[in-house]
């Protein structure tokens, strides 16, 4: 073995050892694949929907906050909170003994006026018959003209007294009606059948009516809970897209997982502006199956999702996988890396987005975008696969 050959072999061995060391260093220091969750692109249903910007609530079709027209001490309270009442039922009455007394006086005056009518009109009838006899006697020349004229004047006076008495009767009847109307100011009567939600005041306490412009708690809050609907505030930008008859879905915080089918009933003709909040339009929704809404409490917070358009059997991806610029991270099977792929989206909602171009059935994209290291070019390791259209 020549010295040259030995030197060449030593160099080769050194280079081989150096290559092995470098390889070992790279192997142990190379970046580990990032674990990711993937979903497979597939076909399914995609809906274009609108959701309320603030929490809506369950409302009663009929609800009235009753207050007496005048103030006074509560003398009768015929219901309790939670009671069912019928239309026309007396709920509360203020002290009105003075009006009862005045009504009794008015009725007595009416009775007196009627008796006066009977007396005056009877006298008028007699005077008219007497005047007729005097006229006949005058025509026979048995009495003077002045005597006949006196009889006719007496008859006219008696008839006028009769009409005056009848007018007094009508006046007495009007006084009774006026007193009865005043008396109604102290009584609260149920305008419809429903449930007493709230009573403000107790027996013997003073009830105060609500003056204009001053919010005062109503004496009785009456709710017709047999008919319920949802009032949901929608962003003013979406108002032109909403029309009566559109399908909707309603969910309640109180009943998680329960979905109620509904339809748009009415869109408010004005925009509501709340300080430091988005300008909204109130949308009323009716339950498709009102019997399902039985038992819901008025005031429950509710969320409404109005369906604008439905696309069947289209290519779709979970909306959560879409990044800014309409990009997704596509998993490349060949080298286990991620590729930024721009897509052309179509109809979309919170759950799914239609894909018009950029992906194909079977492509797998990243859904765990929040994880550190998930970016284009990164080596990844799928943890599990989920299918988007099933």
């Amino acid at each position: 073995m020549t010295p040259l050959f030995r030197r060449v072999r030593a160099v080769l061995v050194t280079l081989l050892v150096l290559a092995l060391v470098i390889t070992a260093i790279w192997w142990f220091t190379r970046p580990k694949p990032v674990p990711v969750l993937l979903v497979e692109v597939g076909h399914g249903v995609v809906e274009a929907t609108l959701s309320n910007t603030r929490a809506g609530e369950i409302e009663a079709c009929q609800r009235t906050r009753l207050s007496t027209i005048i103030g006074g001490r509560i003398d009768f309270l015929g219901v309790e909170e939670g009671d069912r009442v019928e239309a026309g039922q007396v709920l509360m009455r203020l002290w009105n003994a003075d009006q009862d007394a005045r009504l009794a006086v008015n009725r007595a005056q009416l009775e007196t006026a009627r008796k006066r009518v009977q007396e005056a009109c009877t006298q008028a009838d007699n005077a008219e018959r007497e005047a007729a006899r005097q006229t006949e006697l005058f025509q026979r020349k048995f009495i003077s003209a002045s005597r006949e004229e006196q009889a006719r004047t007496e008859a006219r006076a008696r008839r006028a007294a009769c009409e005056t008495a009848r007018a007094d009767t009508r006046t007495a009847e009007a006084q009774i009606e006026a007193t009865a109307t005043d008396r109604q100011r102290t009584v609260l009567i149920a305008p419809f059948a429903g449930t007493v939600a709230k009573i403000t005041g107790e027996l013997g306490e003073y009830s105060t009516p609500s003056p204009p412009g001053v919010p005062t708690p109503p004496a009785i809050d009456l709710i017709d809970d047999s008919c319920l609907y949802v009032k949901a505030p929608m962003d003013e930008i979406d108002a032109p897209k909403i029309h009566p008859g559109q399908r909707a879905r309603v969910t309640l915080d109180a009943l998680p997982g329960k979905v109620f089918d509904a339809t748009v009933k009415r869109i408010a003709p004005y925009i509501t502006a709340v300080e430091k909040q988005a300008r909204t339009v109130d949308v009323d929704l009716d339950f498709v199956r009102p019997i399902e809404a039985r038992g819901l409490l008025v005031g429950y917070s509710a969320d409404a999702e109005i369906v604008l358009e439905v696309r069947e059997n289209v290519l779709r991806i979970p909306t959560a996988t879409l990044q800014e610029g309409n990009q997704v991270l596509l998993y490349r099977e060949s080298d286990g890396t991620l590729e930024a792929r721009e897509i052309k989206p179509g109809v979309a909602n919170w759950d799914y987005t239609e894909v018009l171009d950029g992906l194909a059935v079977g492509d797998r994209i990243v859904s765990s975008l929040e994880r550190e290291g998930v970016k284009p070019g990164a080596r990844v390791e799928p943890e599990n696969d989920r299918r988007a259209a099933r």
Side-chain angles (χ1 to χ4, degrees):
M1 182 179 297
T2 64
L4 179 61
F5 178 77
R6 287 195 298 269
R7 285 195 299 272
V8 170
R9 186 178 65 177
V11 170
L12 292 175
V13 170
T14 301
L15 292 174
L16 179 61
V17 171
L18 182 61
L20 291 175
V21 171
I22 293 174
T23 301
I25 293 174
W26 171 84
W27 177 262
F28 289 107
T29 60
R30 76 188 190 285
K32 294 183 178 180
V34 179
V36 294
L37 295 176
L38 302 178
V39 293
E40 184 175 315
V41 179
H43 289 93
V45 178
V46 180
E47 297 177 334
T49 60
L50 296 176
S51 299
N52 48 293
T53 56
R54 299 194 310 274
E57 63 179 5
I58 301 294
E59 298 274 2
C61 296
Q62 291 189 100
R63 180 175 186 175
T64 180
R65 296 168 174 85
L66 300 168
S67 293
T68 54
I69 299 177
I70 62 175
R73 178 171 56 83
I74 300 175
D75 189 57
F76 170 79
L77 193 56
V79 293
E80 296 180 354
E81 292 181 0
D83 284 356
R84 295 285 305 177
V85 299
E86 299 298 327
Q89 181 176 337
V90 176
L91 308 179
M92 188 180 77
R93 184 172 57 245
L94 303 182
W95 180 86
N96 57 7
D98 56 337
Q99 295 175 346
D100 288 342
R102 190 179 306 116
L103 187 60
V105 171
N106 295 148
R107 286 171 177 166
Q109 290 172 340
L110 175 60
E111 183 64 23
T112 301
R114 285 172 176 170
K115 290 180 178 180
R116 286 176 179 170
V117 168
Q118 184 178 4
E119 177 185 1
C121 292
T122 299
Q123 291 177 352
D125 292 340
N126 290 336
E128 287 173 348
R129 286 193 295 269
E130 179 62 23
R133 285 194 299 269
Q134 295 296 328
T135 299
E136 184 179 353
L137 291 174
F138 172 72
Q139 291 174 350
R140 293 181 180 182
K141 308 298 184 180
F142 291 154
I143 63 173
S144 64
S146 61
R147 183 71 182 88
E148 187 263 346
E149 178 63 26
Q150 181 180 2
R152 284 191 290 112
T153 301
E154 178 70 16
R156 287 195 296 269
R158 293 292 184 181
R159 181 54 60 188
C162 171
E163 295 302 325
T164 300
R166 284 176 175 166
D168 290 342
T169 301
R170 291 192 292 270
T171 300
E173 289 173 344
Q175 288 176 340
I176 289 176
E177 185 176 350
T179 303
T181 301
D182 288 340
R183 192 170 180 271
Q184 290 176 359
R185 296 171 180 266
T186 65
V187 180
L188 288 185
I189 298 176
F192 53 81
T195 301
V196 177
K198 180 71 175 177
I199 298 175
T200 303
E202 298 290 342
L203 195 64
E205 292 183 349
Y206 194 90
S207 178
T208 303
S210 299
V214 180
T216 303
I220 294 180
D221 189 358
L222 183 63
I223 294 175
D224 178 11
D225 53 5
S226 64
C227 175
L228 302 175
Y229 70 98
V230 176
K231 183 181 291 294
M234 298 287 178
D235 195 290
E236 64 173 344
I237 297 176
D238 298 325
K241 305 174 187 176
I242 305 173
H243 307 284
Q246 288 176 321
R247 292 196 304 112
R249 290 183 290 267
V250 173
T251 56
L252 307 176
D253 292 341
L255 299 174
K258 176 68 174 178
V259 179
F260 297 89
D261 292 329
T263 56
V264 175
K265 175 185 178 182
R266 170 185 173 271
I267 301 95
Y270 59 90
I271 298 298
T272 301
V274 180
E275 187 178 357
K276 298 182 180 180
Q277 295 188 24
R279 297 166 65 88
T280 58
V281 59
D282 286 337
V283 177
D284 296 345
L285 303 103
D286 279 339
F287 290 98
V288 173
R289 292 176 289 276
I291 193 171
E292 291 184 352
R294 293 281 179 83
L296 297 181
L297 300 182
V298 174
Y300 266 158
S301 62
D303 290 318
E305 188 178 31
I306 299 175
V307 180
L308 301 180
E309 184 180 357
V310 179
R311 304 292 296 273
E312 303 280 353
N313 196 31
V314 296
L315 196 66
R316 69 180 189 179
I317 60 172
T319 301
T321 64
L322 198 58
Q323 295 181 305
E324 186 177 356
N326 295 325
Q327 289 188 341
V328 296
L329 292 180
L330 177 67
Y331 176 67
R332 296 193 299 198
E333 302 278 355
S334 58
D335 57 5
T337 60
L338 297 179
E339 172 191 342
R341 177 74 62 85
E342 184 176 349
I343 69 165
K344 182 179 179 181
V347 172
N349 59 25
W350 290 105
D351 297 321
Y352 293 102
T353 296
E354 178 187 12
V355 178
L356 300 177
D357 190 24
L359 292 174
V361 175
D363 286 343
R364 294 194 294 172
I365 58 177
V366 177
S367 62
S368 54
L369 297 173
E370 75 286 352
R371 295 186 180 181
E372 186 178 356
V374 176
K375 59 184 179 180
R379 291 183 63 251
V380 297
E381 180 181 7
E383 286 188 356
N384 70 319
D385 296 342
R386 293 189 294 112
R387 298 187 178 275
R390 290 294 183 269

